[in-house]
Structure formats: structure tokens, C-alpha cells
Amino acid sequence: MSTNQPHNRSAHSFFEKFCSPATMMEAEEELLVEGVNAIPLLAELLEGTARNVHGVPYRALGLPLRCAVEVSGRLGPAAKPLERLLLDELARGYVPAAMALGRLGTLEERSVRALASCLESSDADIVAEVAVALINCGRIAHPAVVRITGSSKRAAIHVLQMQHYLARQNFIASLPAP
């Protein structure tokens, strides 16, 4: 098996490993090593076209979806081709998708607008993750974000809190080791 051709491997074996907490990390690490070559497999899972032997989409089983989103985020900018699919997960209210989007480095206009609209959510977790995604991708000053934070005190507070948190984390990371 070639390590740079995951599409020649059995996608089924990766997805089956994603189904078990005992093997999911191993499968995630294997896909991370593949880098951009893992994108087609991740797309199949996120789209729902990857199915188990019983015809059930792996994404419907929960854990495989979580693994695919996690790997997408850990691939960072290499996962840019999955942006639309991650945005679909965000639209379904799946918080980890916001984290993965925030690791893409850049965001399409529609992604920025969708993330901005999530700042109005009553779910504090999604608001926090969306704020971090927008900050990480340098889109916090986008007009849609400015409009929402200008009209919603709650959204503005979340964004400020996340900006301060990230600044503090960056400062701590920059300190020399003891």
C-alpha cells in the first residue's frame, strides 16, 4: 500500500476504524499522514456517500462524522476543498465544524457570512467557536461581523472575550520555557 494514495486503500477500513473509540485515533493519524490525499475520503464521509455494509451512511453513525471533522480541522489549509461540506455541518449546528473552518486559514465570503450569523445563536459554545474561527481567519472586521457585533451586545462580548483569550494564549506561548 502506498502511503500517498489513500484512494487506493479501502475507504471502508478507515471508516470502520472511525466507528470504534479503540481504533478511531489510529485512523485519524493515518489520514493526517496522507495530507491532501485524504480529502476525497473525508469528502465521501461528509457528503454521506460513504456507507457501511448495511447501507448506512457512516456520517449517520456519529463517531465517524466527528472523526472526519476533526481530521479536516487538523489538516488546516490543506482541507480548504472541504469548506462547503464543513459549512453544511455548521448549518446543522455541529459545533466542531466551526473549529475546523477556523483552521482553514482563509474563508469564502459565504462562509464568513454564515459564521457571522451564528454569532447571534443562543448557544454559547457555537458563538465562542465561531468567534475564534473568524479571528483565526482574519475576518473579524468583515462587514457582516461588524453589523452583528454592533447590534448585539452579547455577540460583541463573546467576540471580545475570545480575542482576549487568544491574545493571552499567544502571549503565554511566546514566553520562554522555564
Side-chain angles (χ1 to χ4, degrees):
M1 283 186 220
S2 170
T3 59
N4 63 1
Q5 297 293 329
H7 55 275
N8 291 337
R9 292 183 182 187
S10 170
H12 179 76
S13 68
F14 280 108
F15 302 147
E16 285 298 315
K17 286 181 181 179
F18 279 171
C19 291
S20 169
T23 56
M24 69 181 201
M25 292 301 293
E26 174 187 337
E28 285 183 10
E29 293 301 323
E30 289 174 14
L31 281 178
L32 284 169
V33 168
E34 301 296 345
V36 296
N37 293 322
I39 301 300
L41 291 176
L42 294 168
E44 285 180 41
L45 196 146
L46 292 169
E47 290 168 341
T49 57
R51 296 174 180 270
N52 68 13
V53 295
H54 304 290
V56 177
Y58 281 102
R59 63 169 286 115
L61 301 176
L63 199 51
L65 174 62
R66 180 175 136 194
C67 292
V69 171
E70 174 67 23
V71 170
S72 298
R74 290 176 63 194
L75 284 171
K80 185 74 175 161
L82 300 174
E83 183 172 356
R84 178 188 56 81
L85 296 169
L86 293 169
L87 193 58
D88 291 345
E89 294 308 319
L90 180 67
R92 292 181 185 100
Y94 194 59
V95 176
M99 290 182 259
L101 285 163
R103 294 178 180 162
L104 295 180
T106 62
L107 294 168
E108 296 174 6
E109 180 68 20
R110 68 180 174 168
S111 296
V112 175
R113 287 192 313 270
L115 285 163
S117 70
C118 290
L119 290 171
E120 297 178 302
S121 173
S122 60
D123 182 336
D125 289 336
I126 197 132
V127 174
E129 292 304 335
V130 162
V132 169
L134 290 164
I135 293 164
N136 286 344
C137 292
R139 300 308 298 266
I140 205 68
H142 185 278
V145 177
V146 172
R147 180 183 53 78
I148 290 169
T149 56
S151 64
S152 168
K153 183 177 178 181
R154 184 176 180 278
I157 289 170
H158 273 286
V159 168
L160 285 172
Q161 287 174 332
M162 292 301 102
Q163 285 177 313
H164 288 131
Y165 170 78
L166 292 172
R168 188 172 50 248
Q169 292 300 107
N170 289 336
F171 172 74
I172 291 169
S174 72
L175 295 174

